[in-house]
Amino acid sequence: MPRSAASRPIRLSETVDSLSDSTDGRAASDDARQFWREAFRSVRAETERRAALLSAEDQVVQSMPDTSPTKWHRAHVTWFFEEFLLRRFAPAYKAFDESFGYLFNSYYVSAGPRQGRPQRGLITRPGAAEVTDYRAHVDRAVMALIDSTNDFAAIMPIIEIGLHHEQQHQELLLTDILHAFSLNVTHPAYDPRWQWPKGEMAGAAAVSVSGIHRIGHDGNGFCFDNEQPAHEVLLQPVQLSRALVTNGEWLDFMADGGYGTPSLWLSDGWATVEAQGWSAPGYWQHTDGAWFSMTLGGLRPVDPSLPVCHVSYYEADAFARWAGKHLPSEAEWEVAARAETLDDAFGAVWQWTRSSYSPYPGYRPEPGALGEYNGKFMINQMVLRGSSLATPAGHSRKSYRNFFYPSARWQFSGLRLAEFEH
Ligand SMILES: [Fe+2]
């Protein structure tokens, strides 16, 4: 976690249930209102703290269709509260600017037409300062609603998902500006003082899992709908590495011709290697006989002892094949994580699994616009587990399912290996 981007550890998911119990369904206790006021303030402030290191010029750039400008992230998470909370539960609310719905809706088709995703960087107006005003306008309205509503039970789940949504964008804010900075030959640092987080990295020991286990979210505290229903899985005996794959191991893979050996790669992966000219992880460059990597602290020497980062699913899969192993399934990962047996499960790099992003048995998206949050993306993507150095404190869970396309590598993504017991 960059020091300048360290979150206040507000553990939304652990606190919510006890407070929910204290509401009688419509009214809310003073404690509950106070908790949500503080949670709202804290999460909103974290976004601004991460953005504060970036100039207005930094905040407008979009370096590829998959990334979004900082300013857009700041406005979009605000629009989320405006669209799904204030418009529905605060009848007297006046929109800050009616055109913002078009500019800052992401992918919610049922919420109306929207700016094309690849064109978000063209939104030079409103400027960053006006987005700050927009955020303040919505903040005031949400605080007033928390104080005044007679139907707290109805608004609480919307505030809750809105805050978790904003935390997701806090991570994207960093991954996206890092991609933009990686394309600047002067290698700007997001935070010159940034350091890789201290990890556990215990070594090469492995942990065995097998048999019937329950995975998914059990219903205590917040989760996204894709983590449910909880259900039983049958695992064949398998050993998961306690440690993440390191840069040093990745250098061995490279030295052994990993990026030039088609038999190690899935067909789509090899096509991507050829099309993109990949010969090293994302953001790596070879200069004067040494490898360097673009980080949140600028260009830094590659440290062989640290976890490898910015690799795609295709690369992770090829590495595993080269190592004579495979990636864990998400169920294998979750069972091992629940047993507290994985080092660096959280806080370093998201870990690719070999599981495609599919609905759990019996999954049904919520009705209405918020049903678009996760369910419609359950195709052609792979699941990552854990969390990364950019994930806000209090946001991760053992049942959390992140997902990206198999060629994506601008996230803080790495891997650990698994091996079936014979
Ligand atoms: Fe979003």
Side-chain angles (χ1 to χ4, degrees):
M1 191 90 217
R3 273 180 292 164
S4 57
S7 305
R8 286 190 56 193
I10 128 174
R11 297 211 62 94
L12 288 172
S13 39
E14 287 172 8
T15 323
V16 169
D17 265 16
S18 58
L19 287 163
S20 305
D21 294 343
S22 71
T23 67
D24 65 6
R26 297 190 66 80
S29 69
D30 287 345
D31 280 354
R33 288 187 206 270
Q34 181 55 33
F35 171 79
W36 286 108
R37 272 195 299 266
E38 181 53 32
F40 186 82
R41 252 188 232 113
S42 173
V43 172
R44 298 282 285 168
E46 174 62 16
T47 304
E48 293 301 272
R49 211 160 60 75
R50 292 187 180 210
L53 277 70
L54 300 168
S55 68
E57 291 86 350
D58 292 332
Q59 291 196 29
V60 79
V61 70
Q62 179 177 26
S63 53
M64 66 167 169
D66 286 339
T67 60
S68 299
T70 299
K71 183 179 71 179
W72 188 91
H73 284 302
R74 294 174 59 221
H76 161 69
V77 293
T78 306
W79 166 83
F80 191 97
F81 286 110
E82 187 173 62
E83 175 66 25
F84 297 118
L85 182 69
L86 297 174
R87 285 189 190 279
R88 295 164 198 216
F89 296 98
Y93 175 72
K94 284 206 171 6
F96 182 82
D97 186 321
E98 291 293 346
S99 69
F100 283 12
Y102 183 89
L103 295 175
F104 300 123
N105 178 358
S106 53
Y107 53 67
Y108 296 90
V109 176
S110 44
R114 69 219 71 87
Q115 178 91 354
R117 180 175 181 143
Q119 281 84 44
R120 289 173 185 167
L122 302 179
I123 304 172
T124 58
R125 297 182 186 188
E130 200 175 347
V131 167
T132 302
D133 294 342
Y134 176 42
R135 288 179 63 89
H137 175 84
V138 167
D139 286 351
R140 282 191 295 274
V142 172
M143 286 297 183
L145 181 63
I146 292 173
D147 287 343
S148 64
T149 184
N150 292 320
D151 197 359
F152 198 76
I155 70 162
M156 193 194 73
I158 312 295
I159 296 173
E160 185 177 36
I161 195 171
L163 294 179
H164 286 272
H165 170 253
E166 183 146 351
Q167 289 184 314
Q168 291 182 313
H169 280 273
Q170 288 166 1
E171 174 152 3
L172 294 175
L173 188 156
L174 296 185
T175 60
D176 293 2
I177 198 65
L178 179 59
H179 185 266
F181 283 173
S182 77
L183 299 175
N184 183 330
V185 295
T186 68
H187 310 299
Y190 164 75
D191 175 2
R193 299 168 306 158
W194 178 84
Q195 296 294 330
W196 188 274
K198 264 208 166 346
E200 291 155 342
M201 301 295 283
V207 54
S208 294
V209 293
S210 66
I212 296 173
H213 296 269
R214 194 165 178 82
I215 68 162
H217 196 265
D218 60 8
N220 285 318
F222 177 83
C223 71
F224 288 111
D225 61 357
N226 61 6
E227 298 165 55
Q228 290 185 313
H231 60 283
E232 289 186 335
V233 293
L234 171 61
L235 305 184
Q236 303 306 313
V238 63
Q239 294 202 340
L240 272 68
S241 170
R242 292 181 69 97
L244 299 171
V245 169
T246 64
N247 288 326
E249 292 168 313
W250 204 269
L251 286 164
D252 292 342
F253 169 69
M254 290 163 57
D256 200 32
Y259 280 95
T261 308
S263 57
L264 294 174
W265 295 78
L266 294 167
S267 177
D268 286 354
W270 183 248
T272 308
V273 167
E274 289 201 304
Q276 302 294 327
W278 287 349
S279 60
Y283 302 153
W284 281 33
Q285 67 178 63
H286 203 242
T287 305
D288 298 331
W291 283 103
F292 292 81
S293 177
M294 185 63 183
T295 71
L296 290 170
L299 195 66
R300 300 267 178 90
V302 167
D303 180 341
S305 69
L306 293 178
V308 70
C309 189
H310 303 299
V311 292
S312 63
Y313 176 83
Y314 293 139
E315 290 164 289
D317 174 80
F319 179 94
R321 192 166 293 107
W322 171 78
K325 299 185 179 181
H326 61 264
L327 299 175
S329 70
E330 63 170 321
E332 291 162 0
W333 189 100
E334 183 170 331
V335 170
R338 286 184 184 279
E340 306 283 350
T341 52
L342 302 181
D343 293 330
D344 293 318
F346 300 98
V349 291
W350 290 98
Q351 297 131 65
W352 287 107
T353 73
R354 69 175 190 277
S355 301
S356 56
Y357 181 47
S358 302
Y360 281 169
Y363 168 79
R364 291 280 180 277
E366 283 185 42
L370 283 174
E372 296 186 53
Y373 200 108
N374 281 311
K376 70 181 186 180
F377 299 111
M378 291 177 172
I379 185 70
N380 295 336
Q381 307 201 57
M382 302 302 287
V383 172
L384 302 96
R385 289 303 199 101
S387 67
S388 86
L389 57 91
T391 310
H395 184 71
S396 53
R397 282 181 296 284
K398 288 168 184 162
S399 58
Y400 199 106
R401 306 175 78 199
N402 200 353
F403 51 94
F404 278 96
Y405 290 103
S407 61
R409 57 183 198 169
W410 88 104
Q411 297 299 304
F412 296 98
S413 50
L415 69 155
R416 74 178 67 240
L417 296 177
E419 185 174 24
F420 286 117
E421 297 172 3
H422 299 292

